[in-house]
Amino acid sequence: MTTIKIAYLYEDLMNTYGDCGDVKIIRYLLQKKGYDCQVVNISLEDDLPAFDFDFIFFGGGQDFEQSVVAQDIQRHRSILQQYLEAGGPMLCICGGYQFLGSYYQTSSGQTIKCLDLLPLHTVFNPDKRMIGDTRYQTEFGEVKAFENHSGQTFFDDPNKLKPFGKMLQGYGNNPNDGIEGMQYKNVIGSYSHGPLLKNLNVAQALTQRIITWHQRSVKVPSV
């Protein structure tokens, strides 16, 4: 049986609102298609050989957990940039999504340096808690989920990024833009908990991306 490997970034720190459910759903769908599935927690001080994996997942966390992760994750910036630019599939939820950008400004006004992989940034607004059920339209169809965040995310280069969805109900990235999340190549960033992949239209599309990436990146032994 072929094994597909999933890297779960900081599972022990970044798992707000049960984001681990997304990984469980992907693993289930892969197993239904006949694949074995190995999930590896990449946490503090661990190495990240990104190209050894077929999918990278990064969940959400509170300000304290994000500040801890911020001190460790810069070690992985170069390999993550290579992975996403090569088309490696990633799903980043809430705090994980925010870490793809240049910085996150906390409730205390502290600026947390993020990975600066994509042109976006996030600012905490204590006066505007964005919480509740959400509905939005994506290229995979309608999505229903749940959001709970005060971080407002903005694109710095809308020509490079495209929204994951257009809002029908709820806030999404921020109260003004009417969009939810982000897509870049095979990377999806989203504020959707619930988990997001209870929406099987998205889960099945992402599963196929993972399988396609796995088939492309299988190393052929030298003769």
Side-chain angles (χ1 to χ4, degrees):
M1 183 179 290
T2 302
T3 299
I4 285 182
K5 294 181 66 178
I6 295 174
Y8 192 149
L9 301 187
Y10 306 97
E11 177 183 6
D12 48 343
L13 293 167
M14 304 286 282
N15 184 28
T16 303
Y17 309 122
D19 290 334
C20 61
D22 287 316
V23 174
K24 292 177 180 178
I25 291 167
I26 286 291
R27 181 171 59 190
Y28 172 78
L29 292 176
L30 287 168
Q31 289 171 340
K32 291 283 284 184
K33 289 181 175 291
Y35 292 93
D36 191 15
C37 192
Q38 179 184 2
V39 180
V40 179
N41 176 28
I42 305 295
S43 194
L44 303 176
E45 300 183 2
D46 290 336
D47 292 331
L48 174 59
F51 285 92
D52 289 350
F53 294 95
D54 304 295
F55 174 54
I56 295 177
F57 179 80
F58 198 1
Q62 302 298 322
D63 281 359
F64 174 75
E65 287 79 9
Q66 287 190 228
S67 66
V68 173
V69 169
Q71 297 177 35
D72 184 78
I73 198 170
Q74 292 296 333
R75 301 181 295 115
H76 306 312
R77 183 186 184 280
S78 178
I79 192 66
L80 284 171
Q81 184 174 44
Q82 294 173 49
Y83 178 86
L84 70 85
E85 291 293 347
M90 294 180 66
L91 175 60
C92 302
I93 301 295
C94 202
Y97 169 32
Q98 294 165 355
F99 263 110
L100 296 175
S102 54
Y103 67 87
Y104 173 75
Q105 189 176 86
T106 70
S107 56
S108 65
Q110 175 190 6
T111 298
I112 295 177
K113 180 181 179 182
C114 296
L115 289 167
D116 199 19
L117 297 175
L118 296 173
L120 58 91
H121 70 276
T122 302
V123 177
F124 184 96
N125 183 346
D127 299 324
K128 189 63 176 179
R129 188 77 185 172
M130 292 167 282
I131 182 170
D133 293 331
T134 60
R135 288 192 308 118
Y136 51 92
Q137 191 68 33
T138 76
E139 65 180 87
F140 313 114
E142 186 174 311
V143 167
K144 296 180 180 179
F146 177 81
E147 64 182 347
N148 186 1
H149 58 106
S150 291
Q152 299 186 10
T153 295
F154 302 89
F155 292 174
D156 298 316
D157 184 355
N159 294 321
K160 184 171 183 177
L161 306 177
K162 67 177 183 178
F164 177 48
K166 294 185 178 181
M167 298 306 300
L168 301 172
Q169 174 187 348
Y171 297 99
N173 285 350
N174 61 68
N176 301 315
D177 292 346
I179 60 175
E180 209 292 323
M182 170 282 312
Q183 286 196 90
Y184 176 77
K185 296 191 175 183
N186 278 330
V187 180
I188 295 174
S190 176
Y191 275 110
S192 293
H193 303 286
L196 167 62
L197 296 184
K198 70 179 182 181
N199 295 274
L200 288 181
N201 50 351
V202 180
Q204 290 166 347
L206 184 54
T207 299
Q208 188 54 54
R209 287 185 182 184
I210 293 167
I211 293 171
T212 300
W213 174 256
H214 173 76
Q215 292 170 341
R216 288 179 179 175
S217 60
V218 168
K219 296 179 176 62
V220 180
S222 301
V223 177

